[in-house]
Amino acid sequence: MPSNRNLGDTMQPIGPLMWEHRLIEQMVDLIGREADRLDCGGEPDIHFAMQCADFLSVYADALHHGKEERILFRELKKKDISPKHKEIMNGLEEDHKLGRELVSRLRSSAKAFGNEPELAFEDIRISLRELVRLYPRHIRTEDRDFFHQVMDYFSRDEMDSMLAEYHNVARDVLYDKYQSVVDDLREKFT
């Protein structure tokens, strides 16, 4: 099979994903700084925790992981990929699930902080630490061991089709985010 990595300046579906990794890494760095501050006995910044949860839910999960799971992984599952690539993809999907659980725990703990500060403090600290452990390893696996390698399974037309689909994911994220806002406001009145 010829390598698709020699296509010159033509964008591959991994380009936007790797670009998104850079912003996620910046957020993870900030999360690490907050976790360090908490390890030194600092009081949790609940606003920061909620902003992290929002960023990771919307940008990292709905937008970024949405592209991976609903487009790239979906298309890979149609291919006869190697056992090694299947194993890596399954592991990446498990990481996505773990990330969702950690973000949910962070959000719940931040909300509970006013009522149960000691318990919530520890949950916030642990959630932040676990996110800092998860994301760099996950990103490293995708960037070094998976993304480039799996592009060889796709034709140029298939890659272009995936890139076109990415634009719809961004539109869906905006819808989902604002649907959540409406749902949250609705709860206020029930």
Side-chain angles (χ1 to χ4, degrees):
M1 179 184 300
S3 175
N4 288 328
R5 283 181 258 151
N6 298 323
L7 294 171
D9 295 331
T10 307
M11 172 76 74
Q12 293 184 357
I14 60 171
L17 298 174
M18 293 178 78
W19 180 82
E20 290 162 3
H21 279 169
R22 306 300 70 91
L23 186 59
I24 294 168
E25 288 170 334
Q26 291 175 44
M27 177 56 87
V28 170
D29 178 63
L30 296 172
I31 292 169
R33 292 177 191 199
E34 176 67 358
D36 290 345
R37 198 178 66 72
L38 296 182
D39 287 345
C40 292
E43 181 89 0
D45 181 337
I46 301 306
H47 181 70
F48 176 83
M50 294 302 284
Q51 285 182 312
C52 289
D54 181 63
F55 175 89
L56 293 171
S57 292
V58 176
Y59 187 84
D61 193 42
L63 176 68
H64 180 74
H65 296 158
K67 289 177 183 176
E68 291 174 352
E69 292 177 357
R70 293 189 302 180
I71 301 168
L72 178 61
F73 294 176
R74 178 198 71 208
E75 294 303 313
L76 281 169
K77 288 174 182 178
K78 296 176 185 177
K79 303 285 185 179
D80 184 23
I81 67 174
S82 73
K84 177 183 177 182
H85 292 144
K86 280 182 189 176
E87 181 181 342
I88 293 172
M89 184 169 58
N90 291 338
L92 295 171
E93 288 178 310
E94 287 302 313
D95 285 351
H96 294 173
K97 289 177 189 173
L98 176 59
R100 289 179 194 117
E101 292 169 11
L102 291 170
V103 169
S104 177
R105 181 177 177 182
L106 175 62
R107 183 178 282 118
S108 296
S109 300
K111 287 179 180 178
F113 185 75
N115 297 327
E116 300 174 345
E118 289 178 23
L119 180 61
F121 170 85
E122 190 61 15
D123 281 345
I124 291 168
R125 191 185 68 73
I126 290 170
S127 297
L128 294 174
R129 274 285 163 230
E130 290 300 315
L131 287 163
V132 170
R133 281 187 194 92
L134 172 67
Y135 273 99
R137 176 189 51 77
H138 179 83
I139 289 170
R140 202 168 33 253
T141 297
E142 288 181 338
D143 284 356
R144 294 182 188 168
D145 302 328
F146 189 70
F147 280 168
H148 291 285
Q149 294 81 348
V150 300
M151 287 298 98
D152 289 336
Y153 294 110
F154 298 109
S155 69
R156 179 71 252 159
D157 287 343
E158 289 171 321
M159 286 192 269
D160 289 343
S161 178
M162 285 189 280
L163 283 165
E165 272 192 86
Y166 283 0
H167 297 290
N168 292 328
V169 172
R171 189 172 29 240
D172 290 347
V173 167
L174 292 175
Y175 176 80
D176 290 344
K177 180 175 182 175
Y178 291 107
Q179 182 64 52
S180 294
V181 169
V182 170
D183 292 342
D184 290 345
L185 291 172
R186 187 179 297 120
E187 286 181 23
K188 197 175 186 180
F189 296 103
T190 56

